Amino acid sequence: MTTLLIAEHDHETLKDATNKALTAASQLGGAVHVLVAGGGQGTKAAAEAASKLAGVTKVLVAEGPAYEHDLAEPLAALIVALAGGYDAFVAPATSRFKNVMPRVAALLDVMQVSEIIKVVAPDTFERPIYAGNAIQTVKSKDAKKVITVRTSTFAAAGEGGSAAIENAASAADPGLSTFVGEEVAKSDRPELTSAKIIVSGGRAMQSRENFAKYIEPLADKLGAGVGASRAAVDAGYAPNDWQVGQTGKVVAPELYVAVGISGAIQHLAGMKDSKVIVAINKDEDAPIFQVADYGLVADLYQAVPELTDALGKLGK
Amino acid sequence: MKVLVPVKRVVDYNVKVRVKSDGTGVELANVKMSMNPFDEIAVEEALRLKEAGKATEVVVVSIGPAQASETIRTGLAMGADRGILVKAEGNVEPLAVAKILKAVVEAEQPGLVILGKQAIDDDSNQTGQMLAALLGWSQATFASKLEVEGSDFKVTREVDGGLQTIKLKGPAIVTTDLRLNEPRYASLPNIMKAKKKPIDDKSVADYGVDVTPRLEVLKTAEPAGRKAGVKVKDVAELVNKLKTEAGVL
């Protein structure tokens, strides 16, 4: 059996989500080939990085304008064109592949297994349902498997391979959608899904200015990524790509600091696998304290600057 | 332009579900059921298109047990024009739902189908994309803004790095994200009016779709629990614990 792993990258560098999905792909037991589809010169660099990953035996590159902006239709058409040679299709559950993989699955007449957290057997997987309040074990009866991987639960595969790089057979662009523009936040902070430390703010932050004044300096002191609860994003205190939770990003950093977040089940679904959870909230009955390793009942407007200062004194 | 909005009856988002002790699923007896929240956003968006004169008719469709007609009534009370109930017992997977919806689309000929991006019960996030694939239509998932441009659409999507705007050739599939709109509440007069709106009764057999599940559910279990830790008295103690006990600083 051979598995095709579709790589996550930003058209320049390979993303850590690929390494994590590779760990899941390798557990299926067959050879793993990686498809790197992108636009521009950076695609080659990403493909070279993929060829060095441990356990990868071949890298396929598809470079062209149709793949430059992650549109679903041409990428799905490409994967389907390659499908004959593969028994399983694996991709990290990033927004790009949440968009593309179900389209691939339907074209192959396969029921996708979404956001697996464990490979039990090559055809059997664990996946969370009901915002992670239940874990389902499912066995796929389809001949081909289409799988997305919740990256927060798999370790990243390391380097150690030297796979051959080939050009992928091309597929026609269905031409159904076109790219108009994007607003991508440029930040020096680590990305949420790969950050070792995350500081998140909730509704109690009260404004975007307070995020900048309280949350961001603490995050920067820790070298952390910045997250937010849905309530904070809905209220406009934080951009949508900061949202952690059932319908936002699912994270599992070494340290998660929840500031002014009450802890709705939908938020807990996105962060409860973090190694250490710190909660700062002035409501001592807030549900967040039921999952926090360290809880501080305090006014965040005093405690957060104090914490930022204390870390400064530690040489952070 | 007609707009079709598929809606799903799910456990209300405020309910904390309990796993059955025999591991066969989650407890659904006597649990409050509601329209999937992302589908409410889809209905709202369709209604706004109609109110803006961009859509002529809003049709809600649900695939599920007889009680899914209540979910359709919710959509009708919000303002949709009519409903279609495709009766189906047991678990109907996203792929089968997409196949049934394809048949509904072929019969209804909408210019746009708006769906929720995911149902909050199975969290699959598949149906819209699958429907687009089966119809050979364009797709825009996770929409936070939708504009009609003739028979085409301009959609802003919530993606990992921020926002992306794309143009879709119509007819098209759009799935909703949280920031697309805030759904209205149905007023009492509209709830009364909705009782008179037509719901077309169909069954899976009418569409000739095989709904045999492809995924066999072997077990449903509680997630590994997480115990509450300790409360610290001040910032100094917190920093000390993080440094010496947790070792994360």
Side-chain angles (χ1 to χ4, degrees):
Chain A
M1 109 163 226
T2 312
T3 298
L4 185 65
L5 169 68
I6 302 101
E8 181 65 50
H9 59 84
D10 60 4
H11 305 271
E12 285 176 13
T13 51
L14 198 66
K15 291 291 184 75
D16 179 57
T18 308
N19 303 46
K20 291 173 174 169
L22 172 57
T23 300
S26 298
Q27 289 172 4
L28 296 180
V32 180
H33 297 178
V34 177
L35 171 64
V36 181
Q41 288 303 311
T43 311
K44 292 252 159 46
E48 275 159 29
S51 73
K52 296 193 182 90
L53 294 179
V56 174
T57 56
K58 193 197 277 185
V59 174
L60 299 173
V61 188
E63 193 201 315
Y67 312 122
E68 195 177 342
H69 298 294
D70 311 331
L71 297 173
E73 302 90 356
L75 184 50
L78 172 67
I79 297 167
V80 170
L82 299 170
Y86 296 97
D87 307 291
F89 304 84
V90 175
T94 53
S95 62
R96 178 201 296 205
F97 294 115
K98 285 179 184 173
N99 186 32
V100 171
M101 296 310 278
R103 191 172 180 106
V104 172
L107 291 171
L108 298 174
D109 193 26
V110 167
M111 178 57 206
Q112 171 176 301
V113 189
S114 292
E115 303 218 21
I116 63 162
I117 56 172
K118 189 177 176 185
V119 178
V120 178
D123 62 354
T124 307
F125 312 94
E126 285 184 7
R127 58 175 305 266
I129 56 173
Y130 290 97
N133 285 302
I135 308 295
Q136 211 172 47
T137 306
V138 296
K139 182 175 177 174
S140 167
K141 294 187 275 191
D142 285 311
K144 290 183 191 285
K145 318 286 183 237
V146 176
I147 296 161
T148 64
V149 177
R150 178 165 288 187
T151 51
S152 61
T153 54
F154 289 89
E159 292 196 344
S162 58
I165 302 178
E166 293 177 9
N167 285 319
S170 62
D173 177 1
L176 294 167
S177 60
T178 45
F179 175 76
V180 176
E182 64 188 353
E183 285 172 48
V184 174
K186 290 271 174 255
S187 167
D188 295 333
R189 295 192 187 104
E191 282 181 36
L192 276 180
T193 47
S194 53
K196 294 214 161 19
I197 301 178
I198 293 172
V199 180
S200 282
R203 196 200 308 262
M205 296 316 300
Q206 294 177 334
S207 69
R208 195 147 195 157
E209 291 70 38
N210 284 344
F211 253 87
K213 193 172 162 191
Y214 294 92
I215 299 292
E216 295 182 33
L218 175 57
D220 291 342
K221 195 70 84 182
L222 288 163
V226 179
S229 70
R230 176 188 166 182
V233 176
D234 281 357
Y237 307 161
N240 66 279
D241 49 303
W242 288 7
Q243 189 188 326
V244 171
Q246 179 186 18
T247 63
K249 293 193 171 81
V250 178
V251 299
E254 300 278 308
L255 173 62
Y256 188 92
V257 184
V259 180
I261 291 178
S262 62
I265 53 173
Q266 290 83 0
H267 185 75
L268 301 185
M271 46 65 81
K272 68 183 161 62
D273 292 329
S274 304
K275 195 168 153 231
V276 175
I277 297 174
V278 170
I280 301 173
N281 201 305
K282 69 177 179 193
D283 173 11
E284 64 178 316
D285 296 322
I288 190 80
F289 288 121
Q290 289 163 22
V291 299
D293 298 285
Y294 302 106
L296 176 59
V297 179
D299 178 1
L300 72 93
Y301 295 104
Q302 284 172 11
V304 172
E306 217 180 297
L307 179 57
T308 308
D309 278 352
L311 293 169
K313 283 176 192 142
L314 273 179
K316 283 273 171 189
Chain B
M1 178 184 68
K2 190 192 285 185
V3 182
L4 186 72
V5 184
V7 295
K8 185 176 185 184
R9 178 177 181 265
V10 298
V11 172
D12 187 85
Y13 79 101
N14 281 314
V15 173
K16 183 162 183 342
V17 299
R18 286 204 329 270
V19 174
K20 285 186 193 168
S21 52
D22 63 0
T24 57
V26 300
E27 195 54 71
L28 295 177
N30 303 316
V31 168
K32 187 184 177 202
M33 306 293 281
S34 298
M35 186 189 290
N36 180 43
F38 288 99
D39 302 350
E40 284 185 346
I41 297 172
V43 172
E44 176 66 34
E45 195 65 17
L47 295 175
R48 289 186 188 189
L49 290 178
K50 192 181 170 195
E51 285 157 3
K54 312 270 188 189
T56 50
E57 189 184 26
V58 176
V59 181
V60 287
V61 53
S62 192
I63 296 156
Q67 299 93 314
S69 66
E70 295 160 19
T71 314
I72 293 175
R73 290 278 171 218
T74 304
L76 298 178
M78 287 172 74
D81 298 293
R82 62 186 171 90
I84 302 169
L85 171 64
V86 183
K87 274 202 195 102
E89 290 305 322
N91 176 32
V92 187
E93 292 174 338
L95 180 63
V97 169
K99 287 178 179 178
I100 296 167
L101 290 176
K102 174 176 184 263
V104 173
V105 166
E106 283 164 352
E108 292 285 338
Q109 300 284 320
L112 174 68
V113 183
I114 313 178
L115 306 89
K117 76 166 179 178
Q118 77 191 63
I120 59 165
D121 51 3
D122 62 18
D123 285 333
S124 285
N125 191 341
Q126 299 175 358
T127 306
Q129 297 90 312
M130 287 182 157
L131 179 60
L134 298 177
L135 289 164
W137 287 12
S138 57
Q139 71 181 58
T141 50
F142 326 142
S144 63
K145 192 176 177 195
L146 168 62
E147 291 163 89
V148 179
E149 297 186 338
S151 61
D152 295 343
F153 305 92
K154 197 165 108 181
V155 182
T156 300
R157 309 176 51 234
E158 296 197 357
V159 295
D160 285 344
L163 298 169
Q164 180 198 50
T165 303
I166 59 174
K167 205 167 165 176
L168 303 178
K169 210 172 123 197
I173 303 290
V174 172
T175 78
T176 63
D177 216 318
L178 294 167
R179 262 66 64 175
L180 184 60
N181 61 50
E182 220 167 284
R184 69 194 66 188
Y185 288 101
S187 65
L188 190 58
N190 284 344
I191 291 171
M192 300 311 288
K193 248 192 266 175
K195 292 189 175 161
K196 295 202 181 77
K197 290 182 180 174
I199 297 181
D200 208 0
D201 262 315
K202 298 278 188 187
S203 74
V204 169
D206 293 335
Y207 299 102
V209 173
D210 178 7
V211 295
T212 311
R214 307 288 187 85
L215 301 181
E216 185 188 347
V217 179
L218 302 180
K219 188 174 76 176
T220 304
E222 293 268 359
R226 193 174 177 116
K227 286 198 192 87
V230 296
K231 293 255 171 72
V232 293
K233 65 179 193 305
D234 55 22
V235 166
E237 188 187 350
L238 175 62
V239 171
N240 186 41
K241 292 250 190 213
L242 288 177
K243 193 159 176 259
T244 55
E245 195 174 280
V248 288
L249 291 183

